[in-house]
Amino acid sequence: MDTMHVDLLVIGFGKGGKTLAARLGRLGRRVAVVEQSSQMYGGTCINVGCVPTKSLIFHAERRRPGDRPEDTFREAVAGTDSLTTMLRAANFENLDTLDTVTVITGRARFLDAQSVEVTGGTDRMVVTAGTIVVNTGAEPVFPDVPGLRDSAYTRTSTDLIRGTDLPSRLVVLGAGYLGLEFAGMYQGFGSEVTVLEAGPRVMPREDGDVADAVVRILEDEGVTFVTGAQVTGVTDEDGHATVHYRVGGEERTAAGDGVLVATGRRPATAGLGLEAAGVRTTASGAIEVDEHLRSSQPHIYAVGDVNGGPQFTYISLDDSRIVADHILGSGERTTADRVAVPYTVFTTPALSRVGLSERQARDRGHEVRIAAKPVAKIASMPRAKIVGETRGLMKFVIDAATDQVLGAALLSVDSQELINTVALAIRHGVTAGELRDAVYTHPSSTEAFNEVLASS
């Protein structure tokens, strides 16, 4: 049995872990990175998450009416696979070319607080380290529905994006952000999509006017939504699955040759042997961490989805900055430093939001004024008309007393870029009036701020 001692051991090749490994490796620290699959070098984002899904959405948006759906889909999958293969190789090379960094492919399991066993096939080795970072990400949650796991047609998001056969009918379980992105994407490729949501409404975290605008756009594209749907079972028929569900006491069914489980993701900690290391976990299975991302063992950190925080790649990146500051710097950076963190749901057009919703602001006692306008009616935003995407709306929540921007929801072309400007404004106290009166390039989407913020 081989043994290795390193300064830093990273378990999982995700954004936060690989960033830390590269940074410490370049400083001459001895680093080992363990990843259970060579197909996941670089982490979830580039292999099965952000990059491939957004690539497929891009292709779906550009399908022409006369294009054969199956051919377009296969071309999109092939192009996306080439992209992720290139990025995976680049991520591996980025670490493998550092003399001080060793990448090990295998499954990691703690033996004690300083020792981790790595196995791959019949091979076994033990790695010990002064500092350990767990970066194993998250995994899909399967609801306890009879027949769901056993159905030949059940798919995770990873299964779908790696498959080359376009489902003619797709049933999506869950109308969260993942479910909505896939619903729009596959409807765009030509699938008949039905979304079953257990809750009373879609996107409950969003204001009603914003959520309704998203749903209307997807319904206009042909997506069917059923809210209050309690799924009771899945059975395989001749060539398809039948999803049985109940709405208000009425029994219904939905047929599909694909059933996407989009009911959330949980921290991937099973099998890590955290109990042997004395690392505490939460009820959801996340590694319990403090504001410096230290676990109950101060030399063991958890970054990214595995620590139970927001499941975004850029949060994992910021986690790496906090840990690096604790290892190499003053140790003053914490998770409390994060203010106005934006997010985007890549429907078409994308919905991007930051800060407080109108409902949240009122619940917190703010006297607010609202600046909102449908994109189609924003005269100063010709870019929307140039690119042929005038659907959606822009909404700002403003403190009436101070003119501070409390939050914004942008459902529009380029919103994933615009929201970063708004987030920066919130973080640095730029007022709504200053955003309104700023000089923006033309024609751009940002200049819509001039008109929308003048409407409050």
Side-chain angles (χ1 to χ4, degrees):
M1 180 183 66
D2 293 330
T3 60
M4 174 188 294
H5 180 76
V6 293
D7 300 307
L8 172 68
L9 168 62
V10 177
I11 303 174
F13 207 140
K15 183 68 172 182
K18 69 186 181 186
T19 303
L20 278 167
R23 183 169 179 180
L24 269 70
R26 292 190 183 102
L27 291 174
R29 306 288 180 90
R30 184 66 176 160
V31 180
V33 179
V34 178
E35 172 53 55
Q36 65 180 355
S37 170
S38 60
Q39 294 303 299
M40 289 298 289
Y41 292 153
T44 295
C45 178
I46 68 165
N47 290 293
V48 297
C50 322
V51 171
T53 56
K54 280 52 179 181
S55 171
L56 289 171
I57 290 170
F58 173 83
H59 285 284
E61 290 172 343
R62 280 149 184 77
R63 185 175 75 88
R64 297 166 299 187
D67 292 342
R68 192 166 177 269
E70 293 83 359
D71 293 340
T72 303
F73 181 69
R74 289 193 181 96
E75 290 170 6
V77 170
T80 298
D81 183 63
S82 296
L83 172 62
T84 56
T85 298
M86 180 268 291
L87 291 174
R88 186 164 55 247
N91 271 262
F92 177 76
E93 183 180 7
N94 187 48
L95 293 184
D96 191 55
T97 53
L98 297 174
D99 292 338
T100 55
V101 178
T102 302
V103 178
I104 307 167
T105 306
R107 291 185 174 272
R109 182 179 179 84
F110 282 93
L111 299 176
D112 54 45
Q114 274 77 36
S115 306
V116 172
E117 177 188 60
V118 183
T119 56
T122 58
D123 296 328
R124 177 176 178 268
M125 70 180 302
V126 173
V127 182
T128 61
T131 301
I132 301 174
V133 174
V134 182
N135 184 212
T136 50
E139 58 191 3
V141 173
F142 271 73
D144 188 18
V145 173
L148 179 62
R149 282 188 175 274
D150 297 332
S151 172
Y153 303 95
T154 296
R155 303 287 185 269
T156 64
S157 58
T158 300
D159 298 329
L160 275 183
I161 65 175
R162 286 181 170 172
T164 55
D165 294 327
L166 177 68
S168 59
R169 295 173 296 177
L170 178 66
V171 180
V172 180
L173 306 186
Y177 301 142
L178 175 67
L180 293 180
E181 287 188 0
F182 272 76
M185 177 204 309
Y186 278 83
Q187 189 72 41
F189 278 122
S191 298
E192 179 184 312
V193 180
T194 300
V195 180
L196 304 180
E197 167 57 40
R201 53 171 290 204
V202 175
M203 306 180 84
R205 289 177 55 189
E206 310 300 335
D207 286 328
D209 54 349
V210 175
D212 290 346
V214 175
V215 171
R216 280 196 303 272
I217 288 171
L218 288 168
E219 286 181 333
D220 287 346
E221 292 293 324
V223 177
T224 298
F225 287 92
V226 182
T227 56
Q230 304 299 317
V231 178
T232 57
V234 177
T235 56
D236 285 1
E237 314 292 342
D238 184 16
H240 69 274
T242 298
V243 180
H244 304 264
Y245 64 97
R246 184 182 300 112
V247 177
E250 178 186 350
E251 301 290 340
R252 301 183 189 179
T253 61
D257 47 344
V259 178
L260 171 63
V261 179
T263 49
R265 294 172 66 84
R266 64 184 169 213
T269 53
L272 281 176
L274 295 173
E275 62 284 350
V279 173
R280 292 195 298 268
T281 56
T282 67
S284 67
I287 294 177
E288 187 178 291
V289 293
D290 64 12
E291 68 275 16
H292 298 284
L293 303 172
R294 295 173 301 191
S295 73
S296 50
Q297 293 283 3
H299 68 289
I300 299 178
Y301 299 81
V303 300
D305 299 353
V306 76
N307 66 30
Q311 295 184 358
F312 301 125
T313 296
Y314 44 90
I315 291 295
S316 183
L317 173 61
D318 196 56
D319 283 354
S320 75
R321 297 175 183 139
I322 293 170
V323 175
D325 181 60
H326 204 256
I327 296 173
L328 303 169
S330 65
E332 295 178 354
R333 285 202 61 170
T334 74
T335 54
D337 297 331
R338 294 176 184 148
V339 177
V341 176
Y343 62 84
T344 296
V345 186
F346 283 88
T347 49
T348 303
L351 168 64
S352 302
R353 190 158 79 75
V354 67
L356 302 179
S357 66
E358 178 182 354
R359 184 176 68 251
Q360 290 170 329
R362 294 189 189 280
D363 287 346
R364 296 187 186 187
H366 290 278
E367 182 182 347
V368 303
R369 72 176 196 269
I370 303 300
K373 209 164 191 179
V375 171
K377 294 184 178 180
I378 304 175
S380 63
M381 189 183 177
R383 173 160 165 75
K385 298 176 180 64
I386 291 169
V387 301
E389 181 55 272
T390 60
R391 298 176 296 178
L393 63 85
M394 290 189 175
K395 177 178 181 178
F396 288 82
V397 181
I398 304 161
D399 188 287
T402 65
D403 198 40
Q404 295 295 314
V405 178
L406 300 175
L410 309 179
L411 175 63
S412 73
V413 62
D414 300 330
S415 75
Q416 72 275 15
E417 303 293 345
L418 300 177
I419 204 67
N420 293 314
T421 297
V422 181
L424 193 64
I426 293 175
R427 284 195 289 271
H428 293 279
V430 176
T431 65
E434 289 172 312
L435 270 182
R436 178 196 62 216
D437 296 336
V439 179
Y440 301 109
T441 56
H442 174 83
S444 69
S445 294
T446 321
E447 62 185 331
F449 294 173
N450 298 142
E451 183 173 334
V452 176
L453 286 165
S455 69
S456 64

